[in-house]
Amino acid sequence: MSKGRGLARYIVRAFGLVVAGCGVVLIASFALMDPDGNTRPGIPDVVVAVPMGLACMLLAFGIFSLLNAVRMAYVLANHPWVPVEVTFSEVGAGITPNGQPVVSLRAGDREWDLTLAALRWRWGTFGGPTLLFAGKPAHGGVLATPDCRSIVWAGRSPLTRLLLGRRSRE
C-alpha cells in the first residue's frame, strides 16, 4: 500500500487549483483591463470583479489544500496505516448547510469520531466499510480508501463534538 500515490494525486489537484486561479487572473487582466490597470472602456467593473472573485476562491482552496498536504505528508511519514471499520454519518444538518460529515472509526476495541475535511461530493468515497487510517485518534490523521488512491484529512472539530454530544442526549 503506497502512501505516496494518494498524496501525489492530492497535491496535483491542489496545484491545479492554484494554476487555475492564476490563469483566471491573467486572462481576466489581459481581456478586461488596459495596461494601466483600469477596466477597458465600456466594460463595467462588476465584469472584472466576478472572475477575480473566482480566482481568489480557487487560489484560497489551492493554497489551503497545499498546506493540508504538508500536514498529511508529515503524518504519513510518522504513522503506519491501520485498517479501520468505518461508519459514516451526517450530524447537525439543520444547523450547518450540509451537516457535518462524521466518520466513526473502530480498530480493535478502540472507537473514535472524526470529521472529514472534504467537499460534499467526496463524502461517499469515505463511507467504508473498511478504510485505512494513519495518525493519532485523539488529534486526527489521514483517512484513505483501501487502494490508497483517495485520501482526506479527518480531524477533531469542536462543532462536531458539540453536535455529537447533543445527538447522544436526544
Side-chain angles (χ1 to χ4, degrees):
M1 291 178 281
S2 171
K3 291 182 178 183
R5 181 174 25 168
L7 186 61
R9 287 172 45 118
Y10 188 91
I11 291 170
V12 166
R13 281 194 305 260
F15 269 121
L17 290 172
V18 171
V19 169
C22 292
V24 170
V25 167
L26 289 173
I27 290 169
S29 297
F30 286 120
L32 303 174
M33 301 175 83
D34 62 22
D36 296 331
N38 301 317
T39 56
R40 295 191 187 275
I43 297 177
D45 288 342
V46 72
V47 173
V48 176
V50 170
M52 291 301 181
L54 172 66
C56 288
M57 287 176 39
L58 288 169
L59 286 168
F61 276 119
I63 291 169
F64 173 76
S65 295
L66 288 172
L67 293 173
N68 200 31
V70 170
R71 174 171 61 170
M72 289 194 286
Y74 175 80
V75 168
L76 290 173
N78 292 298
H79 297 279
W81 285 126
V82 176
V84 293
E85 295 174 33
V86 177
T87 305
F88 180 87
S89 62
E90 184 179 344
V91 298
I95 295 173
T96 58
N98 292 324
Q100 284 284 104
V102 176
V103 286
S104 297
L105 306 176
R106 187 174 22 269
D109 60 347
R110 185 155 192 205
E111 188 172 335
W112 64 100
D113 296 316
L114 297 174
T115 301
L116 297 180
L119 296 173
R120 185 174 180 84
W121 56 79
R122 291 191 67 216
W123 292 0
T125 307
F126 302 98
T130 302
L131 297 175
L132 300 172
F133 178 77
K136 295 180 181 178
H139 297 102
V142 180
L143 199 59
T145 54
D147 62 0
C148 295
R149 288 180 51 87
S150 294
I151 64 172
V152 68
W153 180 260
R156 294 284 190 184
S157 164
L159 177 60
T160 302
R161 193 173 304 129
L162 172 77
L163 293 172
L164 287 172
R166 218 174 84 188
R167 183 172 74 173
S168 66
R169 287 189 298 271
E170 293 175 351

